[in-house]
Amino acid sequence: MTRGLFISFEGIDGAGKSTHIDRVAQLFREAGRAVVLTREPGGTPLSEKLRELVLHEAMDALTEALLMFAARREHLVQVIEPALARGDVVLCDRFTDATFAYQGGGRGFDWQVLAQLERMVQALPDGTLRQPELTVWFDLDPQIAAQRLASARVPDKFESQPANFFAAVRAGYAKRQGEMPERFARIDAAQSMEAVGADVGRVVSDWLKKVTA
Ligand code: TYD
């Protein structure tokens, strides 16, 4: 049986990851793989309800972090773990790195507390932690991201934050990459959509060759 694969996609709001995730899903489907395309916060009926709350209600920073991890726990148990056990490809639009970047970097919430919650929520029976095997990070200057978002839809709670919030989120992603460099692939998201797409395709196929060799 083919083994499951777990890939996450990250970046500040406006970095343009959504289009590229759909293309990656298409590539895997063309290669005959079953793909589970999902997102955080969200991915189960309960987690989607939690998403509504965290994206639209003002709340205490610890409450926000706990709700992100509560939604993640449900998502892992109901969707991600069963999919990986079946041998599917799980493509997740944001995962725990977003909590470190947004709640840790952006909000300035305690990094070590997030690490404790991560250990609790992502623990596997063998004592290791469930993490994406590859994280594609769409890295972009917050000023450029803000220009892109200005012409987009009505902003949610995070999207309406000022540029310095996103500079701190970006620093959070960079810190996380520094802690776990082996699974991160940084993409320069300031490039044209085509160039970004080509980079994403290359990163995913190079990684696939490595893990399936
Ligand atoms: P996003 O993934 O950008 O979805 P959409 O494209 O529909 O707007 O929105 C999710 C928002 O939630 C984004 O602003 C980042 C934020 N977020 C956190 O603050 N912490 C987290 O742990 C996660 C997963 C997301």
Side-chain angles (χ1 to χ4, degrees):
M1 195 187 98
T2 45
R3 77 169 180 89
L5 301 171
F6 183 18
I7 305 177
S8 66
F9 299 83
E10 298 282 356
I12 61 172
D13 291 276
K17 60 189 160 48
S18 304
T19 319
H20 301 290
I21 301 175
D22 289 340
R23 284 201 201 148
V24 173
Q26 198 51 36
L27 287 177
F28 276 109
R29 288 193 186 109
E30 282 164 11
R33 299 289 304 250
V35 174
V36 173
L37 193 55
T38 186
R39 68 171 181 182
E40 290 210 344
T44 78
L46 175 57
S47 302
E48 291 290 333
K49 286 186 190 165
L50 294 173
R51 178 187 176 94
E52 273 308 300
L53 293 174
V54 281
L55 294 195
H56 300 290
E57 306 277 341
M59 60 185 70
D60 162 75
L62 174 58
T63 309
E64 187 175 283
L66 289 170
L67 287 179
M68 292 295 181
F69 274 109
R72 178 160 305 127
R73 176 69 190 176
E74 202 59 21
H75 190 209
L76 274 167
V77 171
Q78 303 290 346
V79 175
I80 297 177
E81 293 301 338
L84 293 175
R86 285 194 302 269
D88 293 358
V89 178
V90 176
L91 303 179
C92 199
D93 187 343
R94 302 188 183 283
F95 194 64
T96 309
D97 299 316
T99 313
F100 282 85
Y102 281 77
Q103 281 63 53
R107 294 254 192 259
F109 186 73
D110 192 303
W111 197 269
Q112 293 315 320
V113 173
L114 296 179
Q116 275 178 327
L117 293 171
E118 177 182 42
R119 279 196 295 277
M120 214 182 288
V121 167
Q122 291 158 235
L124 291 172
D126 67 2
T128 61
L129 291 193
R130 174 62 72 198
Q131 294 289 8
E133 295 163 87
L134 173 67
T135 296
V136 183
W137 172 29
F138 295 84
D139 187 30
L140 184 63
D141 184 323
Q143 305 289 349
I144 302 175
Q147 285 162 14
R148 289 184 185 172
L149 279 181
S151 52
R153 63 222 154 162
V154 183
D156 64 33
K157 192 173 98 184
F158 293 104
E159 287 163 351
S160 54
Q161 293 290 322
N164 64 349
F165 175 83
F166 288 105
V169 172
R170 186 189 197 188
Y173 277 124
K175 178 172 175 181
R176 198 66 176 155
Q177 180 187 32
E179 290 178 348
M180 302 170 180
E182 62 292 335
R183 72 174 164 84
F184 267 84
R186 181 189 166 278
I187 304 274
D188 175 7
Q191 304 176 93
S192 69
M193 177 101 115
E194 290 69 33
V196 171
D199 278 3
V200 173
R202 201 158 32 237
V203 156
V204 173
S205 62
D206 287 354
W207 173 78
L208 258 186
K209 276 185 214 133
K210 209 173 68 191
V211 294
T212 53

